[in-house]
Amino acid sequence: MEKEARVSNAPISVRSFHMEGDAFRWDDVDVKEYRKVGDFFRDINKQVFFDGEHGLSCELRYFEVKPGGYSSLELHEHVHGVLILRGHGRVLAYSDRGSHIQDIGEHDVVHVPPHTWHQFQAAEDEHLGFLCLVENERDRPRRPTEEEKEALRADPTIGDYVRL
Ligand code: MN
């Protein structure tokens, strides 16, 4: 049977996956900076699959952290639904309900509740790639104050691991 390309009038869109060097990529999806400014994150970028349109009132993003990299330690009201797609690393969390650090790997699922400091870190020898689902309407993340940084560094569970 002859293969037909029917891109323009297709009832669905499929963005095919491919590797680009050692990076996960999807056709027609731009690789974006994780944050515009700051030195509190390292070697992380993002690709946005759904951006609040397409009849979905949420955003689905893929974050890829290179070995040794990490996301910014941040706090916000909105929640994250996270699924690890690639590699391994760890997640740190801190709130008035306690602190936590846990190794995470492919196919693990992480729920980050409201008002919880959180940070994702790739292992030293492996990428960490994860899908992150957020509501379209959401508050902006905030960074810790100097006082909060001191409390985070003094925490017996995550203090030695948190990157600020
Ligand atoms: Mn966050």
Side-chain angles (χ1 to χ4, degrees):
M1 202 162 78
E2 233 175 273
K3 208 177 174 183
E4 270 182 83
R6 292 188 177 184
V7 174
S8 57
N9 62 353
I12 59 166
S13 76
V14 177
R15 298 170 192 171
S16 296
F17 172 83
H18 61 276
M19 294 295 293
E20 199 172 291
D22 64 358
F24 278 23
R25 293 284 184 272
W26 286 264
D27 290 349
D28 303 320
V29 179
D30 294 332
V31 179
K32 295 182 174 174
E33 284 176 287
Y34 172 67
R35 294 271 190 278
K36 291 288 177 214
V37 291
D39 56 3
F40 41 82
F41 55 89
R42 181 191 286 173
D43 290 337
I44 175 168
N45 60 33
K46 81 174 168 183
Q47 296 171 77
V48 179
F49 303 129
F50 301 105
D51 58 2
E53 295 175 359
H54 307 94
L56 292 167
S57 58
C58 55
E59 285 188 19
L60 184 66
R61 305 86 54 84
Y62 173 72
F63 293 92
E64 193 162 79
V65 195
K66 288 183 181 169
Y70 47 89
S71 66
S72 63
L73 190 283
E74 62 179 30
L75 180 97
H76 40 69
E77 171 76 35
H78 64 270
V79 306
H80 289 317
V82 170
L83 190 148
I84 310 302
L85 211 55
R86 167 177 203 191
H88 58 89
R90 60 189 171 212
V91 61
L92 284 67
Y94 178 95
S95 80
D96 53 13
R97 298 177 304 281
S99 54
H100 189 69
I101 183 168
Q102 187 165 344
D103 288 338
I104 46 174
E106 267 171 42
H107 310 141
D108 288 344
V109 170
V110 182
H111 172 242
V112 179
H115 294 296
T116 306
W117 294 104
H118 55 284
Q119 182 171 56
F120 289 87
Q121 301 177 345
E124 290 298 326
D125 61 347
E126 181 69 274
H127 283 75
L128 180 70
F130 57 92
L131 293 171
C132 178
L133 183 68
V134 287
E135 278 193 297
N136 190 30
E137 299 288 333
R138 62 187 183 278
D139 60 323
R140 297 182 79 78
R142 83 166 177 84
R143 292 276 302 147
T145 63
E146 289 306 315
E147 219 170 63
E148 287 167 333
K149 283 182 187 177
E150 269 180 48
L152 287 155
R153 288 195 186 102
D155 183 81
T157 306
I158 66 162
D160 290 343
Y161 302 94
V162 67
R163 308 297 295 265
L164 299 169

